Structure formats: C-alpha cells, structure tokens
Amino acid sequence: MTNLEKANYIAGEWVGSDDLTENRNPSDLDDLVGLYARASAQQTHDAIASAKAALPSWSGASPQLRAEILERVGVELLARREELGALLSREEGKIISEGIGEVTRAAQLFKFYAQEALRVEGLAIASIRPGVRVEVRNEPVGVVGLITPWNFPIAIPAWKIAPALAFGNTVVFKPADLTPACGWALAEILSRSGLPAGVFNLVMGRGSVVGDVIAKSPDVNAVSFTGSEATGRGIRTIVAERGGKIQQEMGGKSPLVVLDDANLENAIDCAIGGSVISTGQRCTSNTRIIATPGIYDSLAEGMAARARKLVVGNALDPASQIGPVVDERQLSTNLRYIGIADGEGAERLCGGEVLDRPQRGFYLSPAVYANCTNDMVHVREEIFGPVVSVLKAADYDEALAIANDSDLGLSSGICTTSLKYSEDFKTRSTSGMVFVNLPTAGVDYHVPFGGRKASSYGPREQGRAAREFFTTSKTAYTNPL
C-alpha cells in the first residue's frame, strides 16, 4: 500500500481493499488527493460485528474516560485546523477560510460533547404507590451506523460521531464516497485517541454496498443519515421495517422573505451570503428570495451586482470567494437546472456560465434569477448549486404563504426592521429553524439542528437534543424491602 492509499479501520486495525477510488481536487483535476479503499459487504459486516462486540464494555465505561477521549480529539483537530482545512478544500472545493472554519467547528463539537459525556442525566421521581421508588435512565441505544454527505465532510461526521461516543454507543461510520479524505483523517485521529478496538469503525465506499449493509443489518440498532431525500426514503423504509431507530436530514429549499422596511445592504448580504456562497452546496441555503414590491427591484439588482463581483477560483487561493462545484456530475445537475430556469421564463440577471481557470476544474459563475414564481421547477426543487431565485409578493402575508409553500422545511429567514413581522414569522414559518436579518445557512453547534416536512425525520441533531437519538429510556421501579 502506497502513501496515497488509505485503508478502512475495522476492529482497531487498518484494513485494505483491492477496490480503490480516486479522490481528485475539483479545483485542479491534475491533483490526486489520494486513493481510498472501498469496503466490501463482508468488511462492512465485520465492522458491525466489531462494534457489537465492543458495546458492552464501552457502554459501561466511565463518563470521565469518554470525556477525556473526545476532548483529546477536539484538541488535535483544533491544533491541525489549517492543515486539515487545506485537505478539506482540496477534496470538496470550499475556499480555504471555509475549510479551516469547518475543521474548527468539528473541534468545537468534540469538545462540547466531551462535556456532555459528563452530564449523565436521569430522573428519580415518586411513584403513585407508597414506598416504591422510580428511576428513569438514559442508556446507549447500541451500535449506530452513521452515513454522512460530501458537502460538510468533517463537520457533519463530527456532529454524529461525537455524541454517539459520548453517550456510550459504538460506531460504524460511512463517509461520502465522493469525499473520503476528511472522514479518513478524522478516523486516523480517533484511532490514536484511546478508544478501545471496535468502538469506532470506518468503512468507506459506495452507498449501494456499504450503506445497504448498514441499513439492513439487524445488529445496527440505529442509523443516522444525512443526504438526498430519495436515498433517505429508501434507507428509512429498510431500517423501519426491521425495527431500527432512524434519524435523517435530507435537504431544503429555504426561503428568505425581504420586506420593504428591511435594511437593503443587510438584505443583499443575507440573500447572497446565504445562497451562492459555498458554491450553494449547503442544505440550509436560502435559494428562494421573496421580496415585497417596494424593495424588489433594488434587491434583485443589488444581488446581481454583488454576485458579479464574487471571485470564483481555486479553493486554495486566498483571493477566491467561491470555489468550484464538487464534481462533474453536480456541475451537470446545476447546468440542467439553469437550462430549466431559462426555459421557464425566469430572467437571468447574471451568471450560470462555466468558467475557464488556469487549473482544470468545475468552475461555475453564480446565477441570479428574477421574475420567478413559486411553481417553477428550479424554484421548487433543491439544486445544490450557486443558483438563487428572486420572487415578488404583494405583501407580508403573501410572502409568508409562498415561503411555507414547499415540500421541504429545513430553514427560513426574514429581513425586516419590524418586530411585529419578525415575531409573527418566527411563529408561523413552517421550517425547523428560523433566522431574522441573518442568512439561513449559519447554525450554532450547541442548539438543535433539523427541519420539518420532507427535510427531516426523527429526533434533532446537535446540542443537547442529540441525546434523544443516541440514548434510549429505561424506567426502573424498586420496592426497598
């Protein structure tokens, strides 16, 4: 095995494979990030068996031990944030500042859950029967399968792995086949953290092989999945039919309402910063901008002017403000939706063009569309690219109705100086997260993350809410004779 070849991590050992996938830099296709071993179905079964065997001792381990291990991981991530941030930018295409920021977030998550591991909670309450004591305990759910996406290749794994371990579960982790480098780097840190063999396992590879085994295995007690809605539905059906526990985040088409009284510059910041930045590859992106008549024209023009000035370039170039699209397939998807938008009669104010750069890569200029309606295909479906649509609403009530008229409900936002409308929007928006005078795409790690409708299924992620998924409740009655 060469230095470029990276193996899976199963039962405390690095396990290779003859099936390797090339990981190339979307900013520079001549740059080979590495060769990553794709796990076979049997290797995935081995990882699950390893996690099952390690569960009794790890679930009974001292909270202090768990805390120390998670803290150790967080400290190393923080110390190596520039190195690992550059790796993230090379494999996924985020600009370097965002890559470093994401690694920093992963470190913060491990450090947060190190403390949560020490907050062992339960209830001791009076029984309705005299002399009987009642306790409610939160115990580990068991072996958990974690399936993560390519757009946040270290932060999303961190916000699943850290709470899973903190609450005494054992882990089988499958990163996205498109972006395995960050998942492997995180696994390598975990392999040196003091975790007993089998507590954490890395199985890279195809969803149709690795993900399928994880979903179907009766020895996997719970599955946490972030990815597309179509894949999520299939996994949910499989896991539910065998009685497993399921948690899913599956995308969004987030609206941002902009009222006449909004601060125009802030609204432009929110509209562009929450949509096309990060190449639009965020499930929380506010790609539906719904403006009232008094601000509509100036907002649309301002968004287009701002988008034209954004520097699209190599993710490792500090001058770049937007990196490349993650791969050729996603670029083709983006271009297909741009063609749909043009055909639907939306007015393309700027962008939507493939760009030439000194290095071969998947570069696309951010597209701003005006005169859109909520029944257009490109407005209703998640594109996952730097494409943003501006719609007009007669007033606040119509804007709210348009915002809520979606099959997805991850996040939503409003730009206004009116306390009345901001409070009403927070109450009546049918999304799981609401933002006032902020882009919808920035979230904190210590509070719940999740949506409504088809965006999410099962308990929330992040913060203390993660305890609900990663633990199971037990009620114990005692008659002290």
Side-chain angles (χ1 to χ4, degrees), residues 26-49:
S27 292
D28 180 0
L29 297 178
D30 295 325
D31 176 23
L32 178 63
V33 178
L35 299 170
Y36 291 83
R38 283 173 163 158
S40 66
Q42 184 57 55
Q43 287 173 329
T44 308
H45 283 297
D46 292 344
I48 293 168

Side-chain angles (χ1 to χ4, degrees), residues 2 11 47 53 56 80 83 108 111 113 129 139 145 157 204 256 281 283 289 413-414 451 453 456 463:
T2 69
R80 296 174 59 192
E83 169 207 345
Q108 292 167 335
K111 290 169 76 67
Y113 284 109
R129 290 170 287 178
E139 300 182 347
M204 302 177 286
L256 177 70
Q281 295 173 161
C283 56
I289 312 301
I414 186 170
K453 297 184 270 192
S456 303

Side-chain angles (χ1 to χ4, degrees), residues 279-297:
T279 325
Q281 295 173 161
R282 297 177 292 189
C283 56
T284 51
S285 294
N286 44 239
T287 51
R288 291 190 297 144
I289 312 301
I290 306 161
T292 47
I295 201 169
Y296 180 89
D297 290 335

Side-chain angles (χ1 to χ4, degrees), residues 54-72:
L55 181 62
S57 60
W58 181 248
S59 63
S62 161
Q64 184 64 39
L65 174 64
R66 296 180 203 158
E68 289 172 356
I69 289 173
L70 295 179
E71 178 68 19
R72 201 172 295 139

